[in-house]
Every structure is written in C-alpha cells, then in structure tokens.
Amino acid sequence: MTKFIAAAIQMDTQADKKLNLQNAVKGIEEAVGRGAKLIALPETMNYIGRDELKQAELIPGGPTFNILAEQAKKYGVWLHGGSIYETKPRDNRPYNATMLISPEGCLVAKYRKLHPFDVIIINGPFNKESDRICPGNEIVTVDTIEVGHLGLSICYDIRFPEIYRLMAMAGAQVLLAPSNFTINTGRDHWEILLRTRALENECYMIAPAQCGIKPNFKANGNAMIIDPWGRILARASTDKPEVITAEIDLDYVKSVRQQLFTLANRRPDVYHMTTTTKGSPLS
C-alpha cells in the first residue's frame, strides 16, 4: 500500500509495569479503531523507575514482547514497540532496545539505542545513561513493503544526523524516534530536531513520546508525526496520554525527492576535511 494511517502513542509510563502495559494495549486498541496500520509506542514504554536492570527482558520471548506480539497479530497491524530494557548477558547494563513486530506477531527488526543520554543541564536534569545502559552498535532499517521502508532510532539519537542520513541513503521512507525527552531540552529543541531530520532526509518522521513527571525530570510530551516537507501532520499535548494519527503517503516521499534533490545532490566525493597550518599562505 502507498497510503496508510500511522499512529503515535503518547504515554505517562511510571514504575507499575502491569499498569503501563495495560495502558499500552488501550492505546493500541484506540489506534486500531482509528484505522492505523502502523502503530508506534514511546521510549521505555513498559517501565520508568529507578530499577532498570531488574526490569530488563528478552527480545523476543519476554513478557512485553509477547503482549505486543499478541496485539499485532490480533489486529493485523505493524507494531513498533517504542523501547524497553533488554537483557544483556554478562553485563549489568541492559540495552535500551526497540522492536518491530509484523501483523503475524513475528519480530522482524530490533534496534539498540546507539547514543546513551549523557547531559548536565543548568537548572535541569543530570543524566549519565551510559553508566546504566549499554549502547548498541548497529544502524537498522527494515523494508516492510506494506508500510514502507522504516528507519529505527530512539530519543537522544535524534541529535546525531549522521545515522538518519545513512538510513535515508539505505532507502528509509519513514523514520521512527520514540522518546522520553525532558521538558528542559524539549521545549526548545524537540520540534526543531524532528522537523529537521524529516525535511533534510525527505522522510516522514513518527515520534511517540512520554509525558508526565518522571523520577528525575518532567517529560516533554508533544508526540508528533511530520511529513517529508517538514510539516507537522499531528501533534499531541504536552501533559496527557493520547493517540495521534496521520496519513502516510509513500508516493509523496518520492514526489518531494523529485523536487528538492537533497539526497541526489550530495557530494560524497568532497566530504572530507582539508586542514592547513595556521597562518600559512595558500598557493
């Protein structure tokens, strides 16, 4: 299909894992009721608390995967699992990993967050995620045919444009960025970063989000779906769980790329630095 409805689910995930999963299922049901064929959940959708290690699960095979796989199969939809903590053998740091589940309930792609969120914000949060979370080491795209070629990322990755350009060059048409952005950075950076990644790569951007008060900060909310021209098609509120939907038109991706040529006009033949000695004259 070249046109379909996509949904981004905004959640207020807390430390009650059972309740969080119940809320995720409710969001999926609402998205299905609104015609969504691709449904995306936010970062750390099943648990946000102070005990990440004990909440880590297998992907596939863990309880969260099994619940999401059941929902994907029940409704015949593509389900992007936001992210959860994934068990890593022989390491006390789990991965922050996302999963893409097919309408048959099968795991078809898994991505582990490349960039841990290490920040010290003046009058804001201090976070050194690299102390607690093991970074992944692979950029992942997957061509679903039905709902397009998807590029996978998680939250803080959005500040690293290199991976999005590589995904676009690999054929990605729809970028996914499930997030738990802080209000301190999100109110100034979230929209700008999402729209820029979408328009510079001529892709749709689907960005589910967390809202509410977390252990160390207030979450930014504002889940968004953005088109390849950089226009916001749907936007959630700042402070409450909700489901947003928008039509994705894969032919429109092709149309934009035939107008702006951002990808076609790249110059990899000169993308390297030439250094000169300070103060030396050029010939």
Side-chain angles (χ1 to χ4, degrees):
M1 64 184 77
T2 60
K3 292 183 180 181
F4 59 91
I5 300 298
I9 298 176
Q10 181 159 291
M11 296 180 64
D12 183 6
T13 298
Q14 298 292 330
D16 186 334
K17 196 169 187 177
K18 181 178 179 180
L19 179 60
N20 297 330
L21 289 170
Q22 289 173 351
N23 289 334
V25 169
K26 290 178 182 177
I28 293 166
E29 291 173 348
E30 180 179 342
V32 169
R34 294 166 63 177
K37 297 301 181 184
L38 170 62
I39 301 171
L41 291 154
E43 184 181 25
T44 50
M45 50 75 62
N46 68 346
Y47 176 84
I48 294 180
R50 302 187 183 278
D51 202 4
E52 292 99 339
L53 182 58
K54 289 185 178 180
Q55 302 302 326
E57 301 181 15
L58 295 173
I59 303 175
T64 298
F65 170 82
N66 290 340
I67 288 171
L68 296 183
E70 180 183 6
Q71 294 300 305
K73 187 174 182 179
K74 176 180 178 180
Y75 294 114
V77 297
W78 288 90
L79 186 55
H80 179 275
S83 81
I84 68 170
Y85 297 116
E86 181 196 14
T87 302
K88 184 185 180 191
R90 298 177 298 280
D91 196 323
N92 63 358
R93 298 176 304 161
Y95 292 114
N96 186 348
T98 189
M99 61 192 96
L100 182 68
I101 302 171
S102 74
E104 293 74 37
C106 300
L107 179 69
V108 295
K110 178 168 62 176
Y111 165 78
R112 294 160 172 162
K113 188 177 181 181
L114 291 182
H115 304 97
F117 181 51
D118 291 351
V119 296
I120 303 174
I121 304 298
I122 297 173
N123 298 320
F126 167 87
N127 194 352
K128 200 156 190 292
E129 194 177 45
S130 57
D131 286 342
R132 310 185 314 276
I133 304 297
C134 183
N137 57 16
E138 184 180 10
I139 298 170
V140 177
T141 72
V142 55
D143 191 353
T144 70
I145 307 301
E146 288 185 276
V147 292
H149 195 144
L150 310 182
L152 308 183
S153 65
I154 300 173
C155 198
Y156 189 55
D157 287 333
I158 200 71
R159 295 184 182 275
F160 300 87
E162 301 94 330
I163 68 171
Y164 295 91
R165 179 50 53 88
L166 289 172
M167 290 192 289
M169 295 303 296
Q173 301 160 298
V174 180
L175 305 171
L176 293 114
S179 297
N180 181 22
F181 245 65
T182 75
I183 191 70
N184 304 77
T185 55
R187 60 191 167 201
D188 295 322
H189 302 166
W190 173 244
E191 178 181 329
I192 294 170
L193 288 166
L194 292 176
R195 295 179 72 182
T196 300
R197 296 294 90 83
L199 66 88
E200 71 188 0
N201 293 296
E202 299 163 335
C203 291
Y204 283 93
M205 171 65 74
I206 301 175
Q210 289 283 348
C211 62
I213 305 298
K214 310 306 183 187
N216 297 317
F217 57 83
K218 181 179 180 181
N220 183 63
N222 282 289
M224 294 187 194
I225 302 176
I226 300 166
D227 77 7
W229 199 260
R231 295 174 294 200
I232 299 172
L233 303 180
R235 180 177 195 150
S237 67
T238 60
D239 57 3
K240 65 179 181 180
E242 59 185 291
V243 176
I244 59 172
T245 58
E247 183 180 74
I248 305 297
D249 182 354
L250 299 179
D251 285 340
Y252 184 60
V253 175
K254 185 186 299 184
S255 173
V256 170
R257 291 178 178 179
Q258 290 173 344
Q259 295 177 68
L260 294 179
F261 305 104
T262 304
L263 300 180
N265 285 347
R266 293 175 67 253
R267 289 290 310 278
D269 58 314
V270 296
Y271 290 163
H272 60 272
M273 294 295 295
T274 300
T275 59
T276 59
T277 303
K278 184 177 179 180
S280 61
L282 296 176
S283 58

